[in-house]
Amino acid sequence: MTLTDIPTSSSGARGPAAPYDELIEAQRVHGSLYTSPAIFADELEQIWYRTWVYVGHVSEIAEPNDYVRKNIGPQDVIMTRSADGEVHLLLNRCAHRGNLVCEADAGNSSSFRCPYHGWTYRNTGDMLGYPFHGGYGGRGKLDLGLGRVPRVGIYQGFVFGSFAPDGPTLEEHLGEAKGEIDRLVRLSPEGEVEITAGFLKHKARANWKLLAENETDGYHPQFVHASIFSVAQSGIGALYGEKSTAVTRALGNGHSENDLRPEFRRIGAPLGWFGTTEEKVPEYSAAMRARYGDAAEEILIEGAPHVMIFPNLFIAEIQMFTIQPLAANLTVQHVTAVQFKGAPEMNKRMLQQCIGSVGPAGMLLADDTEMYERNQAGVAELRPEWLDVRRGVHREEIDERGLTVGGATDETGMRGFWKHYKHLMTEGRAQ
Amino acid sequence: MTAAATAIPTDAEPTQLDVRDVEQFLYREARFADEHRYDDWEALWTQDGLYWVPANDDDADRMAKMSIIHDNRSRIATRIRQFQTGRRHSQVPHSRLRRVVSNVEILGNAENGDLEVGANFVLVESRERSNELWAGRYTYRLRVVDGAIAMSYKKVALVDNARAIATLSFLI
Ligand code: FES
Ligand SMILES: [Fe+2]
């Protein structure tokens, strides 16, 4: 399969939809990048239907023949596990006349039967059969399978798909962000996360990039979230203050993080990052110390990552978001609580804390989303045309890993995002 | 305030109420929510109140699955105090709201003796972003506290709780 075989919004490679070199400068970006339907269509081809995109987690299809409906942007993708344990990403479209073949959100089945004329497919995507076969000259005459996402990559149980038949490997794409996923899974006494709590789906009438940029924007929390910080006696606000020792780091390939470890190390309390203590979760603490020995102390002090993995996976400590772009001005955030394998005591707390924070009624995310929507309305105004992303550029440093690091409230993550975006949309375009 | 388990009247007589009184209570609760009368609305709750808006499945296991709202009494109070800061941006300015509550039906008594009541609702929300149409099924549990009807449980099963929905930061 080649890229042009994939059902995209247009046929084949085209020229750039806009002069990206002029629209993306080092310290400012043009408003039309958020509003133009032509740019959105170009992004689908050059980013969403090409680079590695996070799709789902292996724990969502734990058993042979489990499946769950996911997405890559507007594409409806069925993530399946075949009887041999392999993970497949199939497009939800019958090879006969294009009907949806799967209407359930999740289930267990070795095959899919299209309800329209009864064509059947294995959960590997291979064709099984078609009724009244005389009309095709007999059995086994057709070999029309479901569309597939040609490359499937799995890192620590996180399943990614790429519509490009070749290109960087998943590990090359993740690069320095791998270590952040490692930091998350090591908080499980069994070294694995599980995604079992189901997702809230929260609509934002805004461009997906406003969400992606906000995820590691350490400048906004004290303003957007002041209401909840003040009534919940939350320590989060201080992590994103002027005096915070936390840093913002561009991880390369458009990934970025708010590295809060300097603050958590300064506080020096195991589970302080989660606002609790070992005494309150004794079984979890014992299991962690049994598994990691002396290293457990540091793991429990440093806590979970706050990382945005380009273009659509955001891990905010105990919360996992995926960003689904549907139009230049419409995005869906899918969000769930991270659950650690072998940690029921922690999982209950993480779930309830997550529910309070995220989703349509979340005490944090309702306000972030209000900003996304007002931001979308604002960037449609004609002047002054540009969005400023210069914050902290004068105080950035290069760390020992060669990565750019800014202060806790600096726009270092956004600049890293735009650098990668610009590469993909210009010299790095699909040929 | 905390969820005081002691407030559950385990050996009290099962609550019995006239449907007219129940309706009056539901309409008042709806009006306080529509008009963002937060203190009045909060005062309708018992000390062990639970406010629940499930996601994906009306009968989901609320201790294991994501909910849109899952507030114990203490979190109800936090939600109210957040509104009262005046900086809950998704409610500044307030959404304009009006809901119709109908099909009020007394369903029986819950295990703890509270009266269980069902009702349907349709609600129009208007704000600058858009107008939104919300609809679903309410389940209440009611009991009499100090001579007045109070609610110990309000569940809101939205018809579209498995789909992508807009921000829902007002009292549904
Ligand atoms: S469209 Fe699927 S069998 Fe005809
Ligand atoms: Fe935020």
Side-chain angles (χ1 to χ4, degrees):
Chain A
M1 182 187 274
T2 67
L3 187 64
T4 49
D5 293 331
I6 299 160
T8 58
S9 56
S10 74
S11 53
R14 299 176 307 178
Y20 296 103
D21 281 325
E22 292 165 30
L23 300 181
I24 304 164
E25 299 182 0
Q27 298 186 20
R28 60 178 196 170
V29 296
H30 197 264
S32 62
L33 291 159
Y34 301 87
T35 57
S36 159
I39 290 176
F40 181 78
D42 203 13
E43 289 170 347
L44 288 182
E45 285 193 22
Q46 300 299 330
I47 297 174
W48 295 91
Y49 300 158
R50 188 159 68 101
T51 68
W52 289 102
V53 175
Y54 175 70
V55 179
H57 191 270
V58 292
S59 57
E60 296 175 81
I61 45 169
E63 301 300 324
N65 297 328
D66 278 355
Y67 67 88
V68 61
R69 260 168 90 181
K70 293 288 179 178
N71 58 76
I72 293 181
Q75 296 293 312
D76 189 342
V77 173
I78 316 166
M79 181 168 82
T80 70
R81 183 186 291 279
S82 47
D84 60 2
E86 274 300 290
V87 174
H88 309 267
L89 299 177
L90 310 173
L91 296 186
N92 193 2
R93 171 184 168 140
C94 181
H96 178 218
R97 290 182 48 79
N99 207 66
L100 296 179
V101 293
C102 174
E103 51 298 319
D105 291 332
N108 183 279
S109 176
S110 60
S111 64
F112 298 99
R113 173 186 292 273
C114 177
Y116 199 174
H117 312 94
W119 287 28
T120 52
Y121 305 89
R122 288 183 209 286
N123 59 5
T124 58
D126 294 339
M127 178 165 232
L128 261 176
Y130 37 86
F132 308 163
H133 50 78
Y136 298 101
R139 272 199 191 87
K141 296 291 183 196
L142 300 182
D143 186 20
L144 300 173
L146 296 174
R148 287 188 179 85
V149 179
R151 287 194 302 160
V152 179
I154 303 178
Y155 186 75
Q156 298 276 28
F158 291 78
V159 181
F160 296 76
S162 164
F163 273 115
D166 41 48
T169 64
L170 174 60
E171 297 220 3
E172 286 165 348
H173 166 73
L174 292 175
E176 295 289 333
K178 279 190 300 182
E180 303 311 308
I181 296 176
D182 297 343
R183 268 195 333 108
L184 182 73
V185 303
R186 73 180 187 172
L187 282 162
S188 154
E190 296 183 26
E192 286 178 44
V193 302
E194 295 183 313
I195 300 302
T196 52
F199 285 81
L200 300 185
K201 301 167 204 88
H202 186 182
K203 205 192 288 180
R205 287 176 174 81
N207 187 271
W208 67 275
K209 300 188 291 300
L210 291 173
L211 283 68
E213 289 178 276
N214 180 68
E215 310 300 24
T216 57
D217 170 32
Y219 198 12
H220 82 277
Q222 293 224 3
F223 307 98
V224 175
H225 306 305
S227 62
I228 192 61
F229 293 162
S230 69
V231 299
Q233 281 102 43
S234 166
I236 302 174
L239 301 172
Y240 299 104
E242 279 230 271
K243 297 200 181 72
S244 173
T245 58
V247 298
T248 308
R249 185 177 288 112
L251 294 166
N253 291 347
H255 316 312
S256 63
E257 67 168 336
N258 294 121
D259 184 355
L260 306 173
R261 283 174 293 179
E263 284 288 302
F264 295 142
R265 288 191 196 111
R266 195 173 58 75
I267 298 161
L271 291 170
W273 64 274
F274 185 56
T276 190
T277 59
E278 285 189 272
E279 293 69 51
K280 294 217 172 105
V281 281
E283 287 165 30
Y284 172 70
S285 305
M288 287 295 285
R289 290 191 178 271
R291 157 109 188 195
Y292 296 105
D294 289 344
E297 182 83 3
E298 187 183 67
I299 292 171
L300 291 171
I301 287 174
E302 291 186 346
H306 190 103
V307 61
M308 175 66 214
I309 295 174
F310 188 95
N312 74 326
L313 174 62
F314 174 41
I315 299 165
E317 292 85 18
I318 60 163
Q319 289 127 202
M320 188 184 86
F321 297 77
T322 65
I323 295 172
Q324 181 189 15
L326 291 174
N329 58 359
L330 184 62
T331 305
V332 175
Q333 315 169 69
H334 302 251
V335 59
T336 191
V338 171
Q339 302 279 271
F340 295 133
K341 193 169 187 188
E345 214 176 28
M346 266 304 264
N347 288 343
K348 279 184 218 141
R349 286 168 177 264
M350 294 197 294
L351 175 69
Q352 296 307 328
Q353 188 169 315
C354 179
I355 291 170
S357 302
V358 307
M363 295 192 226
L364 290 169
L365 266 292
D367 295 325
D368 287 303
T369 303
E370 183 72 18
M371 292 304 115
Y372 303 147
E373 294 180 335
R374 291 189 203 177
N375 209 164
Q376 185 70 24
V379 295
E381 310 303 329
L382 292 174
R383 299 281 183 278
E385 291 191 51
W386 299 88
L387 289 79
D388 195 288
V389 291
R390 87 182 76 186
R391 183 174 172 80
V393 82
H394 63 287
R395 56 185 180 187
E396 277 178 351
E397 291 174 3
I398 305 295
D399 72 6
E400 62 290 349
R401 291 192 277 164
L403 302 172
T404 308
V405 182
T409 65
D410 289 347
E411 288 161 350
T412 307
M414 294 179 194
R415 290 189 288 274
F417 173 94
W418 283 109
K419 184 177 172 201
H420 187 62
Y421 177 99
K422 186 171 169 179
H423 169 75
L424 291 174
M425 303 303 284
T426 55
E427 76 268 21
R429 291 178 73 83
Q431 297 311 305
Chain B
M1 265 181 250
T2 55
T6 51
I8 302 172
T10 41
D11 24 75
E13 287 289 303
T15 304
Q16 303 291 338
L17 293 167
D18 185 86
V19 70
R20 297 293 299 274
D21 294 333
V22 167
E23 286 170 356
Q24 289 298 304
F25 177 85
L26 302 193
Y27 299 159
R28 195 178 323 127
E29 191 266 336
R31 178 163 52 86
F32 290 164
D34 282 347
E35 296 177 0
H36 311 280
R37 288 173 58 175
Y38 299 127
D39 288 332
D40 293 333
W41 186 81
E42 190 183 1
L44 299 176
W45 284 97
T46 62
Q47 289 306 303
D48 58 328
L50 179 74
Y51 176 34
W52 182 34
V53 184
N56 300 313
D57 174 358
D58 293 352
D59 300 310
D61 176 354
R62 58 190 177 77
M63 303 312 284
K65 298 290 179 184
M66 292 295 288
S67 294
I68 298 165
I69 293 175
H70 186 219
D71 287 1
N72 60 13
R73 186 64 187 80
S74 148
R75 194 173 276 174
I76 289 170
T78 302
R79 190 175 294 280
I80 296 297
R81 291 207 310 279
Q82 186 184 22
F83 289 132
Q84 288 171 331
T85 62
R87 289 177 290 169
R88 171 62 156 163
H89 299 288
S90 49
Q91 277 304 309
V92 182
H94 287 141
S95 299
R96 288 267 295 160
L97 303 172
R98 282 298 166 191
R99 75 194 75 187
V100 172
V101 178
S102 184
N103 304 48
V104 177
E105 188 180 1
I106 292 180
L107 301 172
N109 288 93
E111 255 174 47
N112 68 353
D114 289 354
L115 190 69
E116 197 156 283
V117 173
N120 295 344
F121 74 96
V122 176
L123 188 170
V124 175
E125 177 196 20
S126 177
R127 50 190 298 106
E128 182 167 336
R129 170 196 73 212
S130 61
N131 278 16
E132 294 288 332
L133 184 63
W134 303 91
R137 174 93 174 148
Y138 289 143
T139 308
Y140 295 86
R141 289 185 196 145
L142 307 178
R143 82 173 71 116
V144 177
V145 177
D146 297 333
I149 300 176
M151 59 184 175
S152 63
Y153 178 88
K154 183 183 183 185
K155 173 178 163 181
V156 186
L158 295 168
V159 293
D160 48 2
N161 66 14
R163 303 192 187 285
I165 57 173
T167 294
L168 171 58
S169 61
F170 58 87
L171 298 171
I172 182 89

